[in-house]
């Protein structure tokens, strides 16, 4: 059963999808195009329950090569998927998982100070959590099936795949 949206709903859903996609794509491209970029310093600054795990990861240069590559290209691919409305549900899930990892590394909890400057003061809810929830909204309202390349893929991919990735 295909859902229908009025023009206002669809406009705002597509705008949200494209803006979040742009944010992911831009962050990924900045990292890809900077040969000196590494997530190492970010991970070394981790705190909270999972902080020690992320700090330990940052001390392994071989592992950091994989982490850097995956982080850069995940951001780019998720961004492109959201902007184009292509595999939009899969892109939303990927974005949620990536933002969840960022949140686990740098939770917004009182009394924790990070080396990198934070925008404002947070208690549990920060921009990563808000974007994560917005991606959840885009997962349950897949606008790419109406305005996006997912509309074309619906006729090509098996129905068993469509539910989770389009």
């Amino acid at each position: 059963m295909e859902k229908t949206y009025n023009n206002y709903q669809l406009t705002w859903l597509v705008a949200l999808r494209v803006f979040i996609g742009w944010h992911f794509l831009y962050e990924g491209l900045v990292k890809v195009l900077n040969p000196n970029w590494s997530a190492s310093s970010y991970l070394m600054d981790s705190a909270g329950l999972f902080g020690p795990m992320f700090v330990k990861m940052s001390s392994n240069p071989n592992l950091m090569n994989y982490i850097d590559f995956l982080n850069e290209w995940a951001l780019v691919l998720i961004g492109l998927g959201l902007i184009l409305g292509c595999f939009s549900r899969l892109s939303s899930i990927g974005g949620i998982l990536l933002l969840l990892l960022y949140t686990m590394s740098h939770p917004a909890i009182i009394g924790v100070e990070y080396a990198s400057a934070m925008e404002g003061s947070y208690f549990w809810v920060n921009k990563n959590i808000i974007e994560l929830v917005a991606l959840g909204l885009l997962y349950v309202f897949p606008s790419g099936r109406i305005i996006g390349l997912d509309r074309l893929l619906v006729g090509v991919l098996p129905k068993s795949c469509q539910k989770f990735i389009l």
Side-chain angles (χ1 to χ4, degrees):
M1 178 174 93
E2 200 61 40
K3 295 173 178 53
T4 57
Y5 311 112
N6 68 40
N7 287 339
Y8 297 112
Q9 292 169 320
L10 189 56
T11 298
W12 284 105
L13 285 171
V14 171
L16 181 65
R17 190 188 80 213
V18 169
F19 283 23
I20 293 175
W22 173 254
H23 181 225
F24 272 77
L25 178 62
Y26 179 77
E27 288 292 331
L29 288 176
V30 165
K31 291 165 179 55
V32 168
L33 296 174
N34 179 354
N36 298 318
W37 179 84
S38 176
S40 181
S41 60
Y42 181 80
L43 294 178
M44 283 192 287
D45 193 34
S46 297
L49 179 63
F50 299 99
M53 176 186 73
F54 289 110
V55 170
K56 185 171 181 159
M57 290 166 63
S58 72
S59 66
N60 183 332
N62 292 329
L63 181 58
M64 283 310 304
N65 288 332
Y66 290 110
I67 290 170
D68 290 342
F69 178 83
L70 290 173
N71 190 44
E72 294 167 354
W73 289 102
L75 287 165
V76 168
L77 293 174
I78 291 164
L80 284 173
L82 291 170
I83 289 170
L84 299 173
C86 183
F87 300 113
S88 54
R89 279 190 157 167
L90 184 62
S91 297
S92 294
I93 291 169
I96 288 169
L97 293 174
L98 203 54
L99 290 167
L100 189 58
L101 285 170
Y102 296 162
T103 300
M104 290 167 58
S105 171
H106 284 70
I109 50 180
I110 292 176
V112 175
E113 303 240 350
Y114 297 105
S116 57
M118 302 296 276
E119 301 166 359
S121 302
Y122 301 111
F123 180 63
W124 297 112
V125 177
N126 62 14
K127 65 182 179 182
N128 287 339
I129 296 292
I130 293 167
E131 201 166 48
L132 185 151
V133 170
L135 285 169
L137 178 76
L138 291 174
Y139 180 83
V140 299
F141 292 102
S143 63
R145 291 181 177 202
I146 302 165
I147 297 179
L149 295 179
D150 285 347
R151 182 177 186 171
L152 303 174
L153 294 173
V154 166
V156 177
L157 293 174
K159 289 217 184 272
S160 59
C161 296
Q162 292 179 20
K163 182 177 181 182
F164 300 104
I165 62 175
L166 301 181

